[in-house]
Amino acid sequence: MPEPRFLQIHFLAPYTAALLNRDDAGLAKRLPFGGALRTRISSQCLKLHWRLAEDPHALARIEGAEEASRSRETVDRKVLRGWSDDIGEAVLKPIREAMLVAVYGDKGADKKSRQTLLLGAPEVAYLTVQAQRLVAEAGADPKAAEDLAKEWLKAHKANFKAISEGAKLPGGLVGALFGRMVTSDPKANIEAPVHVAHAFTVHAEEAESDYFIAADDLARDEDTGADTIQETELTSGLFYGYVVVDIPGLIENLGGDAVLAGAVLHNLLYLIAEVSPGAKLVSTVPYSRASFLLVEAGDRQPRSLAEAFRTPCAANTGVTVTRLSEHLAALDAAYATGEARRVMSLANSDVPGAERGCLAELATFVRDLPATLENAKA
């Protein structure tokens, strides 16, 4: 097997009569590709459901994982919450504003101007300790609080990373996987080692406008017609999705912990295969599982297999896997990149160079990749 620098994950997932991801008009997101409109699930939607899934393989259940939250109100709802209620407003105000500016930039005191920012538990803990220290040193003196806040801000405003110095996962596990952008301080950015493509149907869109009503249970005999009349869009489709993990980047973001990186890959694969995105959960029940999962480990630049579906294909797993396998075989013949492959499939079609297994076996394979990479470097 070549050095497993990159892990590539390809999946096919079927959904029927669902509305998985909506645009600003409430319609299904779409993508023109190969001369046909496809139904689309955005990468942001996929990542949201994977990172927040309450699941036996949830990221939060991994030993060593640190919590993180995306918010514009972390200072108020996390840093100051639970201990600052009895602090005088004149004392707390300058300290709070210093924290907001340190985290959200010069206009951080104004909620509307703040960036929705990911902060990890180590960062929140550090800010909490600092805020409590400043309050204690200021006592009941508003002028002292103002001076202390200004002095503290000078030391932290120029370098957001100072608030998490020495933390293994400053932005939490979510930040270590999916990255973080801090517009107020690029030094605090976290490079994302997990790259997620928008999923799209391998065939032309299959959509219907669903007309429905709500009846008034207390209507009188003379009351006729529906109480409410509405329309919503429903779509069906077989989606191709693609994820790439830069394994050295993941290990680096996890403080050099290859064992933790392996646990992350193991659980992430389960989430990709088993967790469904989707709105209208009660009325459409959009729960499905991947009907096909291909993982590849190698040392060459990753490449999507989306081109296999530029010409729309039948919404059938067997036909789709055959189309994907033919494209993969053509790439192998042209580039000979030599990735190690494992495949889980509900179809009987063979995949070039892939060893067949169940989801648990594929998860074990990807779990061992970080250790394999570290051993190769030793």
Side-chain angles (χ1 to χ4, degrees), residues 341-361:
R341 296 175 183 143
R342 301 290 187 275
V343 65
M344 177 200 78
S345 179
L346 302 186
N348 291 324
S349 305
D350 291 328
V351 176
E355 181 179 320
R356 197 161 183 142
C358 65
L359 178 56
E361 291 169 330

Side-chain angles (χ1 to χ4, degrees), residues 82-330:
W83 64 270
S84 64
D85 293 346
D86 297 330
I87 308 300
E89 175 64 19
V91 170
L92 188 63
K93 185 175 184 292
I95 294 172
R96 172 181 177 273
E97 290 182 353
M99 295 282 166
L100 289 170
V101 171
V103 173
Y104 295 105
D106 292 339
K107 298 181 179 179
D110 178 12
K111 179 182 174 181
K112 293 181 180 179
S113 300
R114 296 176 205 160
Q115 173 189 8
T116 301
L117 184 63
L118 179 77
L119 285 181
E123 296 170 327
V124 170
Y126 175 84
L127 289 170
T128 302
V129 169
Q130 292 298 305
Q132 291 173 337
R133 177 182 66 80
L134 294 173
V135 166
E137 291 182 10
D141 187 346
K143 182 64 169 64
E146 186 176 343
D147 292 341
L148 286 165
K150 287 180 179 178
E151 182 180 344
W152 181 86
L153 186 57
K154 285 181 182 179
H156 293 77
K157 181 181 177 183
N159 186 1
F160 183 91
K161 289 186 72 174
I163 73 173
S164 58
E165 197 65 41
K168 182 177 180 180
L169 298 175
L173 186 59
V174 170
L177 269 65
F178 302 119
R180 174 175 70 185
M181 184 179 72
V182 183
T183 56
S184 61
D185 183 6
K187 293 180 182 178
N189 291 346
I190 300 174
E191 192 74 24
V194 180
H195 303 173
V196 181
H198 294 240
F200 64 91
T201 53
V202 300
H203 50 82
E205 66 171 345
E206 298 178 346
E208 179 184 51
S209 181
D210 180 38
Y211 170 92
F212 64 95
I213 67 166
D216 186 344
D217 291 342
L218 301 181
R220 296 164 297 186
D221 291 341
E222 62 268 27
D223 295 331
T224 59
D227 188 57
T228 300
I229 298 175
Q230 292 182 329
E231 282 186 276
T232 189
E233 184 171 44
L234 296 178
T235 66
S236 299
L238 180 61
F239 291 81
Y240 167 73
Y242 178 56
V243 179
V244 176
V245 182
D246 176 353
I247 296 179
L250 177 62
I251 295 172
E252 181 180 355
N253 280 5
L254 297 177
D257 191 336
V259 174
L260 179 56
V264 166
L265 294 181
H266 176 276
N267 282 26
L268 180 61
L269 192 70
Y270 268 96
L271 295 173
I272 290 171
E274 294 185 342
V275 173
S276 299
K280 301 180 74 66
L281 301 182
V282 174
S283 58
T284 67
V285 199
Y287 304 128
S288 184
R289 293 189 176 179
S291 56
F292 174 86
L293 194 63
L294 170 66
V295 297
E296 303 181 274
D299 58 359
R300 305 280 284 277
Q301 177 184 293
R303 78 286 174 269
S304 168
L305 299 178
E307 185 66 14
F309 312 114
R310 179 171 292 277
T311 299
C313 105
N316 176 284
T317 298
V319 172
T320 302
V321 172
T322 298
R323 178 83 70 86
L324 180 147
S325 298
E326 290 172 351
H327 181 63
L328 184 58

